[in-house]
Amino acid sequence: MSIHAQDWPKYTSSWRAPSVDSDAHRRHYLSVRYKFVLTLLLSLAWAVFSYSLARRWIHDLSSMEGRALADLMIFGIAILPGFMNAFLVVGLLLDRRPPRRHFADSDLPSVTVLVAAYNEEESILSTLASLDRQDYPSPVEVIVINDGSTDGTMERLRSVSYPWLHVIDLRCNGGKANALNVGLRHATYPLTVTLDADSYLYSEALRRLVERFLSDPPDTAAVAGAVLVRNSRLNLITRMQEWDYFHGIAAVKRLQSLFQGTLVAQGAFSLYRTDVLRSVGGWPDSVGEDIVLTWAILRRGYRVGYCEDAITFTNAPTTFHQFIRQRQRWSRGLIEAFKTHGGLLFQRRMSTLFIWWNLLFPYMDLIYTLVFIPGLLLACFGIYWLAGPMTLLVLPMAFLVNYLMYVIQSRMFRAQGLQVRHNAMGLVIYTLFYGIVLQPGCVMGYFAELLKLRKRWGTK
């Protein structure tokens, strides 16, 4: 079945929420808005409790730094992180999303897959092989845009012949956003999926992503897939990132999807309505093109979902320098999103909370970098002004978040015949040192964007 973009509104109007016939289910059902209010109230209660315990700490610090500065420090170190972790815990406990519906082969729409490739000679063929194994029943066209690669990417593309593959060879490198927009102009199907050129789609990932889109409310315009680390066994840098993708990023996307506003449909693997992509102008010319695009979609009043069992494995940065560059780019993308779509702060939607949440990240990362890390060094010498016993207020909720995500993700893995890899060393590094490495890198990214330093299409 081939459905074109102009026919999409009629197609989506036939969507119906799954009927609920069970009286017992209705008695125990909590609406999403009720869950949101309950989660917010319980998290605020935890924050108030934490603040009451921290008053002595704030008082002692005020004698040296002044009350206003002491409050800024303690809120950034303990109170706000504790509130966010509490919100994650309660939200994850209440997350009972409707199951992804299964559709007959004839009901699945045709899909265009865009792959922007720059110097990907080592991975592009395995990415295409993973697409070939998807066994998606409706027509699929894959458009690979070779964005001025200087290695053997184009030679590798010429060496294969898939009936669904179309290659566009751009002679000059113009950046990922430009490459994707070139591909979008050639897209002929109502759904467009983006996939990184070094990503490997797991079994049935494409079908699950489309079925999640069809199962979600009719105002859904995009769905983010689940991205996990493919090269986690390479070294400590990749082992550490495996837990960030498996726990932190997945937890946030689950929670945001529950409250109807996933904030980033990442370019590594996400689905979009083609007509909506074109109506917002495609991918913007920015270093964080995926977050700015997602916010443009949200600003139009659409919903962005998340499909936790549509999995792609992607290569994470393999060196400390690449990792910091990646997180700087993500941080710059956040500032770009606020510059372009700051009006989202004033929309009356549940997801607006997460926009404000993101607005606090630069402040919290700055406090962590300039206050908490030096405080840890002072604590090593017995000086507990900035990092003392009260800092432990953050730990219970942080532990619960990681425990819950491990249980949730492990259950999802088992359902797909996957096993969670044993990676104890990566977990230790992730738990103890990830923030110490990550937050300073984010701060550098914020300032790079505010100072309008040169932008490059670097590591993802």
Side-chain angles (χ1 to χ4, degrees):
M1 178 176 63
S2 178
I3 304 169
H4 292 278
Q6 61 266 26
D7 301 320
W8 189 249
K10 181 173 70 174
Y11 184 79
T12 55
S13 66
S14 64
W15 180 92
R16 292 291 184 272
S19 61
V20 181
D21 297 321
S22 169
D23 291 337
H25 186 279
R26 281 197 294 269
R27 283 198 302 270
H28 295 94
Y29 176 76
L30 296 178
S31 71
V32 172
R33 291 190 179 278
Y34 186 90
K35 291 178 181 179
F36 178 80
V37 172
L38 181 60
T39 302
L40 183 60
L41 289 177
L42 291 176
S43 304
L44 287 172
W46 175 261
V48 170
F49 171 70
S50 300
Y51 183 74
S52 66
L53 292 180
R55 290 176 65 183
R56 179 62 183 273
W57 184 17
I58 295 173
H59 178 269
D60 293 342
L61 192 58
S62 298
S63 62
M64 295 175 290
E65 304 291 346
R67 182 55 187 262
L69 190 56
D71 278 333
L72 281 173
M73 290 178 176
I74 303 310
F75 266 80
I77 292 173
I79 308 302
L80 285 174
F83 164 79
M84 292 177 176
N85 282 329
F87 197 93
L88 279 167
V89 167
V90 179
L92 290 172
L93 287 173
L94 294 176
D95 184 14
R96 296 292 186 275
R97 71 184 60 206
R100 172 176 49 80
R101 297 170 61 201
H102 297 285
F103 291 81
D105 289 355
S106 60
D107 290 334
L108 293 175
S110 305
V111 176
T112 296
V113 180
L114 301 182
V115 182
Y118 175 67
N119 289 350
E120 298 286 359
E121 65 177 356
E122 295 182 1
S123 57
I124 187 63
L125 293 188
S126 64
T127 299
L128 294 177
S130 74
L131 281 163
D132 190 48
R133 295 189 185 103
Q134 285 303 293
D135 193 28
Y136 188 76
S138 295
V140 174
E141 62 176 3
V142 177
I143 303 174
V144 177
I145 308 96
N146 178 42
D147 190 24
S149 297
T150 57
D151 64 354
T153 299
M154 195 60 208
E155 285 69 27
R156 297 293 176 89
L157 289 169
R158 292 192 185 103
S159 70
V160 293
S161 178
Y162 295 109
W164 38 258
L165 177 62
H166 310 276
V167 178
I168 300 174
D169 186 17
L170 303 181
R171 298 299 180 181
C172 298
N173 175 250
K176 189 173 184 179
N178 176 70
L180 290 173
N181 285 328
V182 170
L184 180 61
R185 289 198 290 270
H186 293 82
T188 58
Y189 293 134
L191 295 180
T192 294
V193 171
T194 57
L195 182 67
D196 274 353
D198 61 352
S199 296
Y200 189 91
L201 286 180
Y202 187 63
S203 175
E204 296 189 24
L206 189 58
R207 181 177 189 131
R208 287 170 177 165
L209 192 64
V210 173
E211 287 184 336
R212 170 50 65 186
F213 169 77
L214 296 176
S215 301
D216 278 359
D219 61 343
T220 301
V223 177
V227 180
L228 299 175
V229 175
R230 182 180 181 183
N231 56 342
S232 62
R233 285 293 175 263
L234 192 60
N235 56 38
L236 275 179
I237 299 293
T238 58
R239 285 173 179 266
M240 175 181 66
Q241 291 172 86
E242 179 177 44
W243 289 107
D244 186 26
Y245 282 77
F246 188 73
H247 277 190
I249 294 175
V252 170
K253 286 191 181 297
R254 274 180 176 268
L255 192 69
Q256 291 175 350
S257 178
L258 169 64
F259 296 127
Q260 303 180 358
T262 304
L263 295 192
V264 185
Q266 71 286 330
F269 183 44
S270 289
L271 174 151
Y272 310 86
R273 276 177 47 181
T274 305
D275 61 332
V276 174
L277 276 178
R278 288 172 173 154
S279 71
V280 300
W283 286 266
D285 183 18
S286 57
V287 72
E289 71 288 330
D290 47 7
I291 181 172
V292 180
L293 169 65
T294 307
W295 286 28
I297 292 171
L298 291 171
R299 198 170 184 182
R300 294 288 184 97
Y302 293 108
R303 178 186 175 276
V304 178
Y306 171 61
C307 186
E308 68 280 357
D309 60 353
I311 296 176
T312 187
F313 293 94
T314 194
N315 287 329
T318 58
T319 68
F320 179 77
H321 176 69
Q322 290 176 349
F323 172 70
I324 292 299
R325 273 186 59 192
Q326 180 197 60
R327 299 314 166 102
Q328 285 178 332
R329 189 179 75 81
W330 291 5
S331 299
R332 292 189 71 164
L334 179 63
I335 301 300
E336 288 174 328
F338 274 112
K339 286 180 178 178
T340 310
H341 301 294
L344 282 171
L345 288 165
F346 308 104
Q347 281 194 349
R348 298 184 62 182
R349 301 174 63 172
M350 288 181 289
S351 59
T352 300
L353 174 68
F354 299 115
I355 304 294
W356 283 95
W357 187 317
N358 275 256
L359 188 62
L360 291 171
F361 282 159
Y363 152 64
M364 292 171 57
D365 290 340
L366 189 64
I367 291 295
Y368 191 96
T369 300
L370 300 182
V371 175
F372 186 67
I373 294 177
L376 286 176
L377 295 176
L378 290 174
C380 293
F381 297 96
I383 303 172
Y384 301 109
W385 295 337
L386 301 174
M390 292 303 298
T391 313
L392 299 178
L393 287 172
V394 180
L395 296 182
M397 287 300 171
F399 172 79
L400 278 175
V401 168
N402 281 283
Y403 173 75
L404 281 174
M405 277 312 299
Y406 183 82
V407 171
I408 291 169
Q409 290 286 82
S410 297
R411 187 185 304 131
M412 183 271 290
F413 261 42
R414 287 194 298 271
Q416 299 193 70
L418 290 169
Q419 277 190 325
V420 181
R421 292 175 175 176
H422 296 291
N423 184 8
M425 181 58 69
L427 180 60
V428 171
I429 300 297
Y430 171 70
T431 303
L432 298 180
F433 302 110
Y434 200 72
I436 295 174
V437 172
L438 177 63
Q439 265 81 353
C442 291
V443 169
M444 288 188 288
Y446 301 139
F447 279 105
E449 180 58 30
L450 292 173
L451 295 174
K452 299 181 179 180
L453 301 183
R454 182 181 173 225
K455 300 177 181 180
R456 293 182 297 175
W457 176 16
T459 305
K460 296 177 296 176

